[in-house]
Amino acid sequence: MTASTSPAPESAKAVSAPFLQVQQLSKAYHPARPVFADVSFTLERGEFVCIIGHSGCGKTTILNILAGLDTATSGYVFMDGREVRGPGLERGVVFQNHALMPWLTVRHNIAFAVESRWPQWKAAQVREHVERYVAMVGLSHAIDRKPSQLSGGMKQRVGIARAFAIQPKMLLLDEPFGALDALTRGSIQDELMAIVRQTRQTVFMITHDVDEAILLADRILLMHNAADTPAGFRPGGIAEVVSNPLPRDRSRATLHHLPGYYELRNHIVDFLVTRAKAH
Ligand SMILES: Nc1ncnc2c1ncn2[C@@H]1O[C@H](COP(=O)(O)OP(=O)(O)OP(=O)(O)O)[C@@H](O)[C@H]1O
Ligand SMILES: [Mg+2]
């Protein structure tokens, strides 16, 4: 056999399976009217993928299934070769509505996660790590406050710091910047981008903001809502996967000057206006 010239055998191809594989997911609260069906996509290691779609199409449900916090009616999710069957510290989640423990301070909310991730760490090491991530989201001055003493945007930033602090294999972000003012949003987007690029973090993120998706994502999944059409009920699903052709080292300030930006933006906005929802 001429092993050196023959193509890679099937077994060798299997080794390079995508980091995340989502296969034919569906979710139905009423059997005849699934929220979405036949949702399949992949993420490569180090890839940043955004999903965009109107309210109610099932974005959070998909993210919760990837997080292991919800179950699909049918279909599978594999991460790093293993089926996702429950929550785990290798996936960090930032929820649409922050999910902080109200009786713990910012410091202890984050330390709780860090101690679960690295139970062998000494107190000083936990402390230093927590303080670094709190500083990243600009909340050092509020580190000893409880969630009830924080604004909505501040609570959201604690959730972001907590998810990053456990250095997960994959970040799952559900509209993480929705509650932030434009200035904070911009600086955290920049910060997120820098960390993600440095660490080659794999990210799946929901956003309603087309520019945010274009800034951050390598690929954008466009999702349509379930609808009653003349041909009958159509479950929600992924209508299209758009690759972002803009150079990867783009920044907020220069985004709209890049060739291809308006074309990409118009394509996504057109989808949202004309194809995402039955009218
Ligand atoms: N427990 C439930 N019982 C019945 N329907 C549900 C339940 N939970 C969610 N749904 C429905 O599933 C659909 C998808 O919800 P999901 O929260 O995933 O949407 P979304 O795309 O994240 O919306 P948004 O952009 O508003 O956050 C919605 O139509 C919602 O009404
Ligand atoms: Mg949602």
Side-chain angles (χ1 to χ4, degrees):
M1 212 179 120
T2 55
S4 57
T5 53
S6 54
E10 282 307 311
S11 59
K13 282 183 195 161
V15 171
S16 62
F19 175 68
L20 181 83
Q21 253 182 312
V22 176
Q23 293 177 349
Q24 301 199 299
L25 282 192
S26 76
K27 181 73 177 184
Y29 295 98
H30 308 287
R33 300 176 65 84
V35 178
F36 56 80
D38 203 17
V39 166
S40 299
F41 59 91
T42 59
L43 259 76
E44 295 300 330
R45 198 183 292 275
E47 199 179 17
F48 199 128
V49 168
C50 279
I51 185 163
I52 280 196
H54 289 293
S55 187
C57 68
K59 304 178 298 296
T60 296
T61 308
I62 291 177
L63 185 136
N64 284 342
I65 294 170
L66 303 191
L69 297 168
D70 196 352
T71 51
T73 306
S74 62
Y76 304 93
V77 177
F78 292 93
M79 191 182 89
D80 222 1
R82 278 197 289 177
E83 188 171 1
V84 170
R85 288 175 170 215
L89 288 164
E90 74 274 15
R91 279 156 286 141
V93 187
V94 177
F95 297 96
Q96 193 165 4
N97 300 307
H98 67 84
L100 303 176
M101 289 172 270
W103 61 93
L104 294 182
T105 61
V106 169
R107 180 191 297 284
H108 289 113
N109 261 285
I110 301 175
F112 185 84
V114 171
E115 285 161 1
S116 315
R117 172 77 168 77
W118 294 288
Q120 73 284 12
W121 277 17
K122 302 261 187 320
Q125 197 172 2
V126 171
R127 188 184 174 89
E128 189 251 339
H129 191 81
V130 169
E131 287 175 359
R132 180 147 56 92
Y133 282 88
V134 171
M136 180 197 94
V137 296
L139 285 180
S140 300
H141 64 288
I143 194 167
D144 291 312
R145 288 199 214 160
K146 290 193 175 158
S148 60
Q149 300 165 300
L150 304 175
S151 71
M154 290 164 91
K155 284 186 258 204
Q156 198 60 13
R157 280 143 73 190
V158 179
I160 293 167
R162 181 176 57 183
F164 275 85
I166 60 165
Q167 298 176 350
K169 282 187 186 170
M170 180 167 67
L171 272 176
L172 299 166
L173 311 178
D174 193 349
E175 295 189 55
F177 311 128
L180 306 181
D181 64 275
L183 207 64
T184 312
R185 189 182 182 114
S187 71
I188 295 198
Q189 280 171 347
D190 286 343
E191 197 65 54
L192 172 66
M193 188 120 103
I195 297 175
V196 164
R197 296 281 189 265
Q198 263 169 30
T199 56
R200 301 248 321 132
Q201 178 77 59
T202 310
V203 187
F204 180 81
M205 172 167 147
I206 299 171
T207 180
H208 271 117
D209 181 333
V210 175
D211 275 334
E212 183 168 278
I214 296 176
L215 175 66
L216 298 170
D218 299 310
R219 284 186 298 144
I220 302 163
L221 311 181
L222 305 183
M223 193 167 174
H224 63 76
N225 289 61
D228 287 299
T229 71
F233 178 77
R234 177 197 72 174
I238 294 178
E240 195 182 326
V241 180
V242 181
S243 285
N244 191 338
L246 305 182
R248 224 186 174 205
D249 61 347
R250 52 195 180 263
S251 72
R252 265 182 313 130
T254 56
L255 195 63
H256 55 288
H257 295 305
L258 295 171
Y261 164 75
Y262 282 103
E263 213 179 338
L264 179 59
R265 188 173 203 289
N266 289 343
H267 184 77
I268 298 170
V269 172
D270 276 349
F271 167 79
L272 290 171
V273 174
T274 62
R275 291 161 55 208
K277 236 175 162 176
H279 294 282

